[in-house]
């Protein structure tokens, strides 16, 4: 049985841990507010840009247009941009994301595809290189979390991806990150960046036309000047940076929310552990006192 000193040392240690987790919870809560504001402010622009590009792309003849729109005509090589955090102590934030990434890698390889990975965040790099180090083509650290304040960080990733695509290194590119829904909910999301996925809206800007082969094609009711291909050639590269920037902001807000929740749970668990240790300490102290009293009484009776 541990001594009273052992119990006291253990209680002191847990109290120190509780102070740290409580402080980290407050810091994460303070950072979350700014990160959440940035993430929510970026969403309307990213969604509007995707919607606008879909309207413009709807006027392009099938199979024509910039390569970022039509692709290479193949889907043999997939590039996955994985956005994680640089730091830990944020619960299952990174674990859930990386579990989703592993399932995507397994699915693609089962279909006979070649997978390449760009890691944005130290946690993704450290985890993926254990089993798929040969698939990592580039990694970026120090641009996730609180440092996400400018578009330049996302543009570095976007320019690297565009250079890889221009060199014919991959056919399809997907962005995988934790989408921020609320303080308690962050879900892994996969978003295709290349080729650009046209979404058919239900408004009056686009309409769906069914061809003789049964294929549904989105067509636009607008005429553009200059022509759609020129507009898309200018905007599609920018859209990649915008979507990556939005993913970085979403991931940053989700990281702080997950860390705040994890540290809150850790603080409460530490409090419960202190109560349990205090109870054990009191019981042990009572046992020692009882033992000493028995020894004193036995000695007195022996005299």
């Amino acid at each position: 049985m541990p001594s009273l000193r052992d119990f006291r040392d253990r209680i002191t240690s847990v109290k120190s841990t509780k102070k740290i987790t409580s402080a980290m919870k407050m810091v994460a809560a303070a950072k979350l507010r700014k990160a959440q504001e940035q993430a929510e402010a970026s969403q309307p622009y990213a969604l509007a840009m995707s919607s606008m590009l879909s309207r413009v792309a709807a006027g392009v003849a099938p199979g024509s247009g910039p390569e970022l729109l039509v692709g290479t005509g193949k889907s043999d090589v997939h590039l996955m941009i994985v956005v994680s955090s640089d730091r830990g102590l944020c619960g299952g934030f990174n674990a859930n994301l990386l579990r989703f990434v592993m399932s995507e890698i397994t699915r693609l390889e089962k279909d006979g595809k070649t997978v390449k990975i760009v890691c944005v965040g130290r946690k993704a790099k450290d985890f993926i290189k254990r089993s798929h180090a040969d698939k990592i083509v580039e990694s970026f650290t120090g641009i996730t979390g609180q440092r996400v304040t400018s578009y330049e960080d996302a543009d570095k990733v976007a320019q690297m991806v565009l250079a890889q695509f221009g060199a014919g290194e991959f056919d399809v590119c997907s962005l995988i990150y934790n989408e921020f829904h609320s303080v308690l909910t962050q879900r892994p999301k996969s978003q295709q960046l290349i080729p650009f996925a046209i979404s058919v809206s239900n408004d009056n800007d686009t309409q769906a036309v069914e061809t003789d082969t049964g294929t549904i094609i989105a067509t636009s009711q607008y005429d553009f000047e200059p022509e759609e291909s020129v507009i898309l050639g200018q905007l599609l590269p920018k859209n990649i940076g915008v979507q990556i920037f939005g993913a970085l902001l979403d991931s940053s807000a989700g990281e702080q929310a997950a860390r705040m929740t994890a540290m809150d749970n850790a603080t409460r668990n530490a409090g419960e552990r202190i109560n349990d240790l205090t109870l054990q300490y009191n019981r042990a102290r009572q046992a020692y006192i009882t033992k000493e009293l028995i020894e004193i009484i036995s000695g007195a009776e022996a005299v």
Side-chain angles (χ1 to χ4, degrees):
M1 184 177 180
S3 64
L4 294 178
R5 182 184 181 87
D6 293 334
F7 279 117
R8 287 195 297 267
D9 292 343
R10 182 61 177 161
I11 291 172
T12 302
S13 175
V14 177
K15 284 183 178 179
S16 299
T17 302
K18 183 180 178 182
K19 291 180 181 179
I20 295 173
T21 56
S22 179
M24 291 186 66
K25 172 192 169 183
M26 291 187 291
V27 172
K31 292 182 178 180
L32 171 62
R33 181 176 180 180
K34 181 179 179 181
Q36 185 174 357
E37 289 175 353
Q38 287 181 312
E40 291 175 348
S42 71
Q43 288 176 358
Y45 182 82
L47 292 174
M49 188 165 193
S50 294
S51 177
M52 181 267 295
L53 287 174
S54 294
R55 292 197 298 269
V56 176
V60 179
S64 63
E67 198 171 18
L68 289 175
L69 175 65
V70 300
T72 61
K74 302 180 296 181
S75 60
D76 298 333
V77 182
H78 285 246
L79 179 70
M80 299 167 58
I81 306 173
V82 182
V83 181
S84 70
S85 68
D86 284 327
R87 300 168 55 202
L89 297 177
C90 47
F93 179 79
N94 292 304
N96 294 334
L97 174 72
L98 295 171
R99 192 181 303 114
F100 179 80
V101 171
M102 291 297 107
S103 66
E104 286 293 295
I105 294 175
T106 302
R107 180 182 63 83
L108 290 172
E109 290 184 336
K110 187 177 180 180
D111 293 338
K113 311 297 184 182
T114 301
V115 178
K116 296 183 178 181
I117 302 173
V118 174
C119 298
V120 181
R122 184 173 289 107
K123 289 298 179 179
K125 176 186 175 183
D126 292 344
F127 181 85
I128 294 174
K129 73 178 182 181
R130 297 174 190 170
S131 56
H132 299 286
D134 57 317
K135 295 181 175 61
I136 299 178
V137 296
E138 187 63 78
S139 61
F140 297 86
T141 58
I143 66 175
T144 60
Q146 188 63 16
R147 277 201 66 249
V148 184
T149 55
S150 69
Y151 177 77
E152 295 178 357
D153 294 330
D155 191 54
K156 294 177 184 177
V157 183
Q159 293 303 320
M160 187 279 301
V161 171
L162 290 171
Q164 290 276 326
F165 184 69
E169 296 294 331
F170 63 89
D171 303 313
V172 179
C173 176
S174 298
L175 177 64
I176 301 178
Y177 64 100
N178 275 312
E179 185 179 23
F180 180 79
H181 290 273
S182 67
V183 174
L184 298 177
T185 308
Q186 305 89 37
R187 298 191 186 98
K189 177 182 178 180
S190 179
Q191 177 183 355
Q192 181 174 306
L193 297 181
I194 303 174
F196 177 73
I198 301 176
S199 60
V200 181
S201 62
N202 295 323
D203 55 24
N204 296 325
D205 295 339
T206 60
Q207 58 184 355
V209 177
E210 186 172 357
T211 63
D212 296 335
T213 60
T215 304
I216 296 178
I217 301 174
T219 60
S220 174
Q221 298 182 6
Y222 293 104
D223 291 329
F224 293 93
E225 180 65 33
E227 62 182 11
E228 291 90 337
S229 297
V230 177
I231 297 175
L232 292 172
Q234 295 292 325
L235 293 183
L236 283 175
K238 297 182 183 299
N239 177 64
I240 294 176
V242 169
Q243 301 304 325
I244 292 176
F245 185 53
L248 289 174
L249 294 176
D250 255 31
S251 180
S252 176
E255 176 189 349
Q256 300 302 336
R259 180 170 291 113
M260 184 185 70
T261 302
M263 292 301 102
D264 180 54
N265 292 334
T267 302
R268 284 191 276 107
N269 291 339
E272 293 176 0
R273 183 58 177 159
I274 290 171
N275 293 336
D276 292 341
L277 288 171
T278 302
L279 181 60
Q280 294 177 32
Y281 170 78
N282 291 334
R283 287 176 177 174
R285 183 168 175 269
Q286 185 179 14
Y288 278 114
I289 293 174
T290 303
K291 181 181 177 182
E292 291 177 357
L293 287 175
I294 292 174
E295 290 176 353
I296 294 173
I297 295 172
S298 300
E301 291 179 351
V303 174

